[in-house]
Amino acid sequence: FENIQDVYFELALDGTIQEISPSINSISDYTTKELIGTKLQDIRVTANTIDDIVQKLEHTERITDYEIQIKNRDGATIYCSITARIIKEDGQSNISGVLRDSTERRLAEMENQRLQEQLRQTEKLTSLGQLAGGIAHDFKNQLFGIAASANAIKKYAQNNEQIQSCAKNIFTAAQRSSDLTKQLLAFARKGNYESVGIDINETVVNIAQLLKRTLDKKIAIDFKLDKGDLLIKGDPSQIDNALLNLAFNARDAMPRGGKLTFVTQKRVLDEIFINESSFKPKPGDYVQINVLDTGMGIKKDLIEKVFDPFFTTKEFGAGLGLSAVYGTVKEHKGVVQIDSEAGTGTTASLYFPLSPDVEVYRAPEQKAKKLKTKMHLLLVDDEDVVRNSAKQTLVDAGFMVTSFPTGTAAIEYYKKYHTMVSMLLLDMILPDISATDLFNKL
């Protein structure tokens, strides 16, 4: 009894501890002397434990691996399993049993459950991404036809302001819908991405300056930049959009004003960070961008849902902003984290692999040149609405256009009239041949 490793105990049916072995002190900060005469309820965490134990023992002779939680004086929780039975002596019933520390096993089970949940979340986002990408691709084609037709209507109705106004509204709606498809494609990671050198400090300064001109003046915008060179390799427009989406979320969380701050710094991601992240980045040097706001914050139970497409806490909103951020981060082999509590503001952290040797991309300044000759274009696209709208737009711009829905038809035409064709405009994916193969054949 003095040396047993497991904790032997005897309880009255009301939970009073009548006997307990000294080993209780090896798993908790309680001693035998101070526990005898107190009740199990005084140290357990789970509600109604003793009532539940008694009820179970009334229907069976023995309970095995019944879990309770002991609360130490310092607040730490110890998970324990109980094996117990009813004993009767001198006409009185008591509970006799053994308590074993199962904290390590329980924490391992909880970690496994957390990883399983992360895996299910990743699989769900992947499936939704595939669906979103398919919808966005087809929807984008329809929007092209709508926008092109609206422009044509506006051009042909030059003297009718009412028709021009309607055409302008149609075009604006198509543009906004197109922005949604870009967010869907970013979430699905199916957009066309560049891979060039990006100076993160320069990017943050440009974004901050843009926001100062566009956000409510009640929102103060600040940035704190690391003094070193923070260079990454990626798509500038996607990184810009990710930061803007985070900024707009922050704006919406501060309807009465507040402070929006961008912070950049170098960060080494170690094995501990990587093991805790569902993104599973490679260990090494990263650029960390924090976007902090002083807004209303996010409830803890909602943080895991914020990257789900179409999930939103706003009264009006598409729920695609953070999904697009998620897609951009995955595409750039990075990590995104959201840290927030209701009423305390939110910190969104982006991590991108540091690429110190890349050359920073600078967009060249270009001026449009007028065409001196009337060029003949061969246009191939299997989507009727895209092909017809593109043809009309190009004809209006002064081109001669011959269009086909398939590569096979284009090849037959080109065999006869190739000397008349000045330029090819080909859809990347055709039902009968790829654009690359078609180009080579032509």
Side-chain angles (χ1 to χ4, degrees), residues 230-265:
L230 301 184
L231 306 180
I232 69 168
K233 194 173 184 180
D235 187 306
S237 64
Q238 291 297 321
I239 300 298
D240 287 351
N241 285 335
L243 293 175
L244 286 171
N245 274 320
L246 292 175
F248 293 149
N249 268 15
R251 171 202 63 190
D252 295 339
M254 299 184 288
R256 297 180 180 178
K259 187 174 183 180
L260 174 62
T261 307
F262 295 88
V263 181
T264 66
Q265 60 183 344

Side-chain angles (χ1 to χ4, degrees), residues 106-154:
R106 187 72 177 92
L107 292 178
E109 290 175 355
M110 292 167 65
E111 175 64 12
N112 184 56
Q113 290 174 357
R114 185 183 71 83
L115 293 174
Q116 289 292 333
E117 182 58 34
Q118 281 188 349
L119 178 61
R120 283 192 290 270
Q121 182 76 353
T122 301
E123 289 173 345
K124 180 174 69 173
L125 289 172
T126 300
S127 299
L128 286 169
Q130 292 172 348
L131 173 65
I135 293 172
H137 178 76
D138 292 339
F139 190 45
K140 186 173 65 173
N141 287 334
Q142 306 306 314
L143 289 172
F144 178 82
I146 294 171
S149 298
N151 265 337
I153 293 171
K154 187 178 178 183

Side-chain angles (χ1 to χ4, degrees), residues 38-148:
T38 63
K39 292 190 176 183
L40 181 67
Q41 295 91 309
D42 296 333
I43 62 169
R44 62 102 178 98
V45 174
T46 312
N48 304 319
T49 300
I50 189 64
D51 295 338
D52 193 37
I53 290 174
V54 171
Q55 189 176 15
K56 289 180 183 298
L57 288 173
E58 286 176 349
H59 294 88
T60 180
E61 293 182 355
R62 176 188 177 95
I63 59 171
T64 304
D65 291 333
Y66 179 90
E67 185 177 276
I68 69 167
Q69 299 169 27
I70 293 176
K71 197 83 165 181
N72 268 341
R73 277 185 284 256
D74 63 0
T77 298
I78 303 161
Y79 295 89
C80 300
S81 62
I82 287 178
T83 298
R85 64 189 178 90
I86 294 283
I87 57 172
K88 294 183 179 181
E89 292 181 354
D90 302 327
Q92 185 174 354
S93 296
N94 292 321
I95 299 170
S96 171
V98 174
L99 178 148
R100 178 171 295 171
D101 184 359
S102 59
T103 303
E104 189 174 334
R105 174 180 59 81
R106 187 72 177 92
L107 292 178
E109 290 175 355
M110 292 167 65
E111 175 64 12
N112 184 56
Q113 290 174 357
R114 185 183 71 83
L115 293 174
Q116 289 292 333
E117 182 58 34
Q118 281 188 349
L119 178 61
R120 283 192 290 270
Q121 182 76 353
T122 301
E123 289 173 345
K124 180 174 69 173
L125 289 172
T126 300
S127 299
L128 286 169
Q130 292 172 348
L131 173 65
I135 293 172
H137 178 76
D138 292 339
F139 190 45
K140 186 173 65 173
N141 287 334
Q142 306 306 314
L143 289 172
F144 178 82
I146 294 171

